[in-house]
Amino acid sequence: MIQPPAPEPPTPQPPALHALKIDLHTHSHYSDGVLSPTALVERAAAAGVNILALTDHDSTAGLAEASRQADSLGLKLVPGVEISAAWRAQSIHVLGLWIDPCAVPLERALATQAQRRHQRMRNICSRLSEMGLPGESLLATVQAHPGLPTRSHLADAMVAMNLARSKADVFKNFLGKGRAAHLAADWPALDEVIGWILSSGGVASLAHPARYLLSAGARRQLIADFAAAGGTSLEVVTGGNAPQHIETCSALAVKFGLMGSVGSDFHDPQLSWNPLGRSLKLPDCITPVWRGYVSE
Ligand code: AMP
Ligand code: MN
Ligand code: MN
Ligand code: MN
């Protein structure tokens, strides 16, 4: 008997835009994240993330590796970076998304950021030595790490040497603002950093706007200055954000005519407050920064 032809298997359809899981803020071990870019992308894919930005602090060194792994797993990798900037003596983080990491002005600028980070780490460790702590071996431990040095690495090294009970204690007692071993970094001005991102073809999104210790008026002025300098997005939803932060940030985005981004700020699988793959839903009143980059 002639068998009827087997029905064609359904062609897999890409998920609808609103059903995509998007995370535009994560770290690898090229800054203070724990995972390699390969392991990060694998973990994101396993958690159902469709579109992922790797945004290491002041470094694009992990992007090529992340992009290779994303290609092999069918996940879209957004080339990104989280750049440290200064605004009124406050450290501010600006996400550069859809940047071209090979753009020469950005490459040069990130090389100066790396020098600043190395110099600041040497200065902090000298200060720790003056305080009677083992600054030189702490510096050696931080420098043995593959990525750019951050205070997060130093805090880990101090906990490992039993100089503090936890990372939070290190920031509270030594490295946090106003503490004995806190050294302000000479980060470039906010508008200069935004200029680097724009010149590399990227979009600038102000990272975790609710996390800066600013009055409501100062926060509004920060965002006004950010928008005036060419920033076009706020990170409205970020890992660990309370619902009132999302509301505050949405209202600010609407007030200043900015789009919105979402991101976990994932660093470490051991930290439970910002896991990869948690739904990060942008409020309906906000235009997604990925509109125009991501097709349905
Ligand atoms: P840096 O960019 O060198 O100033 O280091 C800042 C990094 O340290 C941040 O990106 C966080 O990952 C981490 N960090 C800052 N404050 C704390 C804290 N209180 N506890 C744990 N990690 C922190
Ligand atoms: Mn960090
Ligand atoms: Mn940040
Ligand atoms: Mn971050």
Side-chain angles (χ1 to χ4, degrees), residues 22 41 45 48 72 116 123 138 154 180 198-199 210 213 215 268 271 283:
I22 298 178
V41 172
S72 76
R116 286 187 175 100
N123 293 345
L138 287 166
L154 180 55
L198 300 185
S199 75
L213 294 175
S215 67
D268 180 348
L271 297 178

Side-chain angles (χ1 to χ4, degrees), residues 27 32 57-58 82 84 93 117 120-121 149-152 167-168 171-172 187 267:
H27 296 273
D32 55 352
H57 294 287
D58 301 301
E82 181 176 16
S84 309
H93 288 173
R117 282 197 169 274
R120 182 192 190 202
M121 190 53 61
T150 72
R151 285 182 296 161
S152 184
K167 247 170 125 162
F171 278 92
K172 204 161 69 188
W187 299 128
H267 285 73

Side-chain angles (χ1 to χ4, degrees), residues 166-203:
S166 68
K167 247 170 125 162
D169 277 356
V170 175
F171 278 92
K172 204 161 69 188
N173 298 324
F174 299 101
L175 303 183
K177 206 168 178 186
R179 303 299 162 195
H182 178 266
L183 292 182
D186 60 338
W187 299 128
L190 181 63
D191 52 354
E192 191 180 346
V193 166
I194 293 170
W196 300 342
I197 293 169
L198 300 185
S199 75
S200 76
V203 172

Side-chain angles (χ1 to χ4, degrees), residues 239-292:
N241 239 1
Q244 76 266 25
H245 291 146
I246 299 177
E247 265 173 46
T248 308
C249 293
S250 298
L252 287 165
V254 170
K255 181 175 168 63
F256 291 96
L258 297 171
M259 296 180 284
S261 71
V262 300
S264 61
D265 203 2
F266 173 85
H267 285 73
D268 180 348
Q270 306 275 3
L271 297 178
S272 55
W273 59 273
N274 58 352
L276 276 181
R278 179 185 280 170
S279 165
L280 300 162
K281 193 181 171 321
L282 198 62
D284 289 338
C285 59
I286 306 296
T287 305
V289 70
W290 55 89
R291 184 162 292 171

Side-chain angles (χ1 to χ4, degrees), residues 99-138:
I99 53 162
D100 172 4
C102 299
V104 173
L106 179 67
E107 267 190 335
R108 287 207 185 114
L110 293 182
T112 64
Q113 291 290 84
Q115 281 168 7
R116 286 187 175 100
R117 282 197 169 274
H118 285 294
Q119 187 57 50
R120 182 192 190 202
M121 190 53 61
R122 286 193 290 269
N123 293 345
I124 295 175
C125 289
S126 303
R127 173 74 63 87
L128 290 170
S129 294
E130 286 160 18
M131 292 165 64
L133 294 166
E136 285 195 17
S137 46
L138 287 166

